[in-house]
Structures are given as structure tokens and as C-alpha cells.
Amino acid sequence: MSTTLIHRSTLPILRRRPRSVDVLSTSATERPFFSSSNSQGGASTPPGASASPSGATAAVPTSYAYISDMFKSFVSKVENPLNYLSVGTSKAIAKETVKVESKTQIIQKSNENRVSRSEVTAKTRALVKKILISETATSRLTRVRDLSEHIMAFPPTRIVAAQEQRLVAELLEMVIYGTSDQLKEEARQCLTLIGVQPPPKGRGVNVLSIDGGGTRGMMGLEVLEKIEKLSGKKICEIFDMICGVSTGSIIAALLTVKGYSVAECREAYMDVSKKLFTQGKFQGGMGLILQHSYYNTNLWVSILKKMIGEEVTMINTSKKLHTPRLAIISSIVNLPTIQPYVFRNYDHPAGRDSHYRGGTDHCLWTAIQASAAAPLYFSEVKLDNLLLQDGGVYANNPTAIAYHETKLLWPNEPINCVVSVGNGRTVTSVEPTPTVFSTSFQDKLLRIIDSATDTEGVHMNVHDMLPESVYYRFNPYMTYAYGLDEIDQERLEQMASDAAFYVRRNSSKLESATERLCLRPNVQQRVHRSVKEWMDLKGFYKPA
């Protein structure tokens, strides 16, 4: 490695450029370990990626991935959409000018929220002690809530709480033998925040992953309905972990949190689609120019709040008995590299942190909005210092993320079955298209977009990683390239027909997957889980 020497006489000429302060990136990287911020995070860069040099100013990437169908759709809806992009960008920048703070101001604000490690640890142990000495149900309910709020404010304190074996035993007793339903729910949420996981429902952990795809989610619902009929159970009663991205996040939330059957989910899903995607071209074009959003984002938010609930947070959904672990995937687009953001209704066991940033305290409707904020369809979502777009920008097939999160939650349990549901794919030609000179600009752009939104690449990797008897992928073929916002009745009926035909053709594979999902624990597993529960109740809990 060569070294360049600089003569002393040239030093006055070299002046260091003043470093620009990026409010978003600085506050994200300089957050103290014990901060009052509620956001949690894993690695700041994905495994294998190198961090940006400290002296370089990272440009905020503007991602227009996940618009393969979007780009084609807008060409037919809006005249000269690329002109709209250029005009809208300048107006949006002028409208959303961010006030830049000095580095000193940022550090001062950070110091105001900083609490010493010893103070936080002492408070955690004091709250634990109050739970252990409380006698009445009302007192226990209040103390458990206080501890839950404290852990959400300072996530690393879950490690301190998990080390208190008597606390875990006390909370488990409240859940198993308690008489107050409200106390049971609060204790169940507190155990979830500490990282204590319930045993799997079957012979091992059952995982469901649902792709994005707009209204094509109807095709994935056809597959899930077949599994529901074959098993005789609701989807939330079969799976331990459910992960969704974009339209998959909507389906996952309805099936998990609401406990809907697939038929109820389909009815609610289509009702939302018809309300949201019925809009004039002129209004959509103006939205593109002014807000980079073809559809009305405010209407979308109001629909979500009414359907899901305005006050329900991700962690609140863990209060119900037998509720699966839920992961909703979005994409962070204001970092040097695009990264996933995982909205969770669970926390990992102490000492087993995820590679991916995420949080538990955000509202469920916010999580769905961020996961389905498709570029040019809906506005981006600002979450603290992060800017989030559709999860399909990073991973339109979230199976690999779901597998990663599952192994962290149940490291000592086998993966019994992984079901990955796609929302439609077209039949592509296997022969290359003859060209005279080269591909057009539009073809080049669409190839880049297709590669960024590819779902079958993830499928191939997971297929090679897991045994054939464990991993099942269902992705119906489409006779027509349906749009993400398709609401034409004839097209919807054809879409349902395509999905029904696929289900009939793959009935034996669906039966095999359902049989695997319904396997009950064997004798050895039942004995092991009973012994572990007894040990935990006696105060011998150890994090996995």
C-alpha cells in the first residue's frame, strides 16, 4: 500500500472543509445507550456491509424501487410521469425544508435525555422489588404497568429484568394462575418485553411469511383459505410467527391481531381497496406533483385507524393469549444504504439482538402505513429521525427476515414449517428477446426495478437452506399483469379464478404443508416443555 507524503510548505494550502450536519443521520448514530428514546435498533448496517467513512457526508438516497408495476401503471394514468417527478421534486424540497441544527445543539439535546447506567439499573431493580412485595391485585397491576413502561423507555433494561428470576416466576404465576384477566394481559406483555417466549404451538416453530403486491393480496388469501379449511383452524391458531410486508402486513395484522378468518380478512381487505383506489386521474396527477403521492395518504391513514384502532401499539397486541409473534417490515431510505425496519409485537431474549433496527412501542396503524408506503402511491412516513417507505423497497419477500427473527426468539426449538405466500407472478419467456442495437431507457429502468422487487430470488435461497419437508412456497401464476391498485371487477374475478386454479393444481402440496403444520409435540418435547415451565415457576429461569 503506497503512502503519499505532503511537504510542510503545502500545509497552509490544505484547509479542512467544514463538516455539514445531517440532522437525521447524526441523531440516529449519536443516541446514548440509555436514552429516553423509545426506538430500538439492531446493527446500523446489514451484516457484511461496510460502514461509511466518518469524514464523508452520506447523500440521502431517494429510492424509486418497488415500482415495476407502479411505473407501468402510471404511464397509462398520467401523461409524461417523468416530468411530474422533476417538477414535484423541486416543489417538495422547497416545501419541506428541514431546519438544520448545529452539532452543539444536537449534543446538548442528547445530554438532556441522557441518564446514567447506574440510575436506570437501580430504578429497574426498585420496580422489580415493588412487584415482588405487592399483595393486592390492584397494586400488582400498577407495578407491572410501571415496569413495562420503564422497559419500553429504556430497552436495554430488559437484560436486568431477565436476570431477576423471581420476577419471571411471579409474572408466570399471574399469567397461569391469576384470576384477573386485566392482570394476566399486563403480565403477559411484561414477559414479552423481557424476552420470555411462549412454547411453540406444534412440534416446532411454524412461520408464515406474506409478500407484498397491492390488491393482488387476494391471490395469497386464496392459498391461506385452503390451509385454513384443511386444518380446521384459524391462521392465528396455527402459526407462531407471522411476518408481512406491504399488503402482506395488512393481511398479517388482520389475521393476527383481529383474529379474523380468511373470509373475514378478504371482506375487510376488499372494502379498504375499493375506498382507497377509487380516485380520478386529475386528482392523482396533482398529488404526484405536489406530494409524490398518487393516492390520498390522509384518507389511507383514517381508514387504517378505523380498521385497526388508533391507540393500539405493536406491543399491546401481545396481551392476548396465543397471539402469534408479528413482524411488519418497512424500509429506511434516509441512510447511506437502504435497510429494513422491523415493527415487532415482541422483544428478543436478553443478549440476542437482531441485525435489523426495529421497535415495539409504535402504533399498529403506523407500522402498516410505513410498510405499505409504496413510492409514488403514498407519502413516506417520518418516524422519529427515520424516513420509511414500503417494505418491498428492501425485501418484497420477507421470508429470510422472518427466519432470522424466529431463530432469535426460539434458538432451542426446531423450525417445524415455513410457509411463504406470494401474491402473484407472471409467466416470463425463457428465451431472450432479439434486439437490433440495445435496450431502451425504459427497459433498462424496468429491469433495475424488477431486480429490486424480485421475490423468487429469496425463495431460491431459502429453498436451498431449509429441508424440502420444512419449507413451502406458494405463489400463484397470473394470466394478466394485474396492477397493484386493481379494482376492476372483471379483473378481480379473473384474479380469483387464477388463484383458485393454482390452488387446485397444488392441492397435494398444500395438504402436505397443512399436515406438517398440524403436527403435535412428541412425548420428549412435551416432557421438556413441562419441566422448563416448572423450573421457571420455581425461580430458575434462564434466557435462551
Side-chain angles (χ1 to χ4, degrees), residues 78-149:
V78 184
E79 190 175 7
N80 295 328
L82 295 179
N83 292 340
Y84 284 142
L85 293 180
S86 61
V87 175
T89 302
S90 60
K91 291 187 177 182
I93 294 174
K95 182 179 179 181
E96 300 181 4
T97 304
V98 180
K99 182 180 179 181
V100 179
E101 298 179 349
S102 66
K103 189 172 183 179
T104 304
Q105 290 175 323
I106 295 172
I107 294 174
Q108 287 176 349
K109 286 185 178 181
S110 177
N111 290 334
E112 290 175 2
N113 296 327
R114 183 174 296 173
V115 184
S116 69
R117 183 189 297 267
S118 58
E119 290 176 344
V120 174
T121 302
K123 185 175 180 180
T124 305
R125 289 177 176 158
L127 291 171
V128 171
K129 185 176 180 181
K130 288 180 180 180
I131 293 176
L132 296 177
I133 64 176
S134 59
E135 297 180 354
T136 65
T138 304
S139 176
R140 289 180 177 181
L141 180 62
T142 303
R143 303 307 181 191
V144 171
R145 281 177 176 170
D146 291 342
L147 181 59
S148 296
E149 291 174 1

Side-chain angles (χ1 to χ4, degrees), residues 386-397:
L386 301 176
L387 194 62
L388 305 181
Q389 284 183 358
D390 193 295
V393 173
Y394 179 86
N396 205 28
N397 179 349

Side-chain angles (χ1 to χ4, degrees), residues 506-517:
N506 292 270
S507 58
S508 60
K509 185 178 178 182
L510 280 162
E511 290 172 1
S512 176
T514 306
E515 183 180 355
R516 180 83 184 184
L517 289 167

Side-chain angles (χ1 to χ4, degrees), residues 277-335:
F277 296 137
T278 304
Q279 179 178 283
K281 295 181 180 180
F282 177 77
Q283 185 180 357
M286 292 303 296
L288 270 179
I289 297 172
L290 300 176
Q291 298 179 345
H292 293 179
S293 171
Y294 187 86
Y295 290 105
N296 189 336
T297 302
N298 292 331
L299 175 61
W300 171 223
V301 170
S302 65
I303 291 173
L304 276 177
K305 289 181 179 179
K306 184 178 180 180
M307 179 175 62
I308 300 296
E310 190 169 352
E311 302 297 330
V312 179
T313 63
M314 289 296 297
I315 194 62
N316 289 158
T317 64
S318 66
K319 291 182 178 181
K320 293 182 180 180
L321 183 63
H322 302 313
T323 299
R325 295 310 189 219
L326 175 64
I328 293 177
I329 313 302
S330 185
S331 301
I332 308 173
V333 296
N334 64 325
L335 292 173

Side-chain angles (χ1 to χ4, degrees), residues 172-187:
L172 284 172
E173 282 190 10
M174 295 179 193
V175 170
I176 298 173
Y177 304 112
T179 56
S180 169
D181 291 338
Q182 195 174 13
L183 181 57
K184 283 184 177 182
E185 290 180 351
E186 292 295 336

